[in-house]
Amino acid sequence: MSDTKNWIKALDTTKVARGDVARWDHDGRSYAIFRTDSDAFYATDDICTHEYAHISDGYVEGTTIECPRHAGCFDFRTGQALNPPVCVNLRTFPVKVEDGAIYIDIA
Ligand code: FES
């Protein structure tokens, strides 16, 4: 089966620590790339759905990211908004890792 995704190379895996998040800017947009303690990678929009804040400046706890501005939380695996004031989910993007690099399908 062919790979129909539009993969774009984002960051080297070494740029995202386990249990942390890193920001990746591309084509005028910001993305948040997460790495869990068990080495799973996820990507979401980096701008909070509440007001303007980069969630990659927030705090990772397990599979949750807490926005640095008003402490709204999202599950970064699904983008689900978990508590007020956030009520709109974050957009998520498919991720793959190949040869030490993280690729995102931002289409
Ligand atoms: S800007 Fe993120 S919770 Fe308000």
Side-chain angles (χ1 to χ4, degrees):
M1 197 165 95
S2 67
D3 187 345
T4 57
K5 300 267 190 236
N6 183 23
W7 297 114
I8 296 181
K9 186 177 178 183
L11 300 172
D12 289 338
T13 55
T14 55
K15 300 291 185 192
V16 192
R18 287 191 180 93
D20 207 350
V21 59
R23 174 177 164 179
W24 177 58
D25 293 325
H26 176 74
D27 209 13
R29 290 185 65 175
S30 294
Y31 303 85
I33 301 176
F34 299 87
R35 182 178 189 169
T36 68
D37 288 330
S38 56
D39 262 349
F41 289 84
Y42 297 90
T44 69
D45 261 332
D46 190 35
I47 304 302
C48 187
T49 58
H50 178 231
E51 289 181 7
Y52 190 85
H54 287 271
I55 61 166
S56 58
D57 291 333
Y59 310 97
V60 175
E61 177 81 45
T63 54
T64 299
I65 178 74
E66 181 185 284
C67 179
R69 191 147 180 209
H70 306 110
C73 292
F74 301 91
D75 183 328
F76 60 73
R77 299 169 301 177
T78 61
Q80 185 181 2
L82 298 175
N83 63 278
V86 295
C87 55
V88 176
N89 296 346
L90 274 176
R91 185 173 173 198
T92 60
F93 303 91
V95 174
K96 74 172 181 177
V97 174
E98 225 171 69
D99 298 329
I102 304 162
Y103 292 81
I104 301 178
D105 175 11
I106 58 172

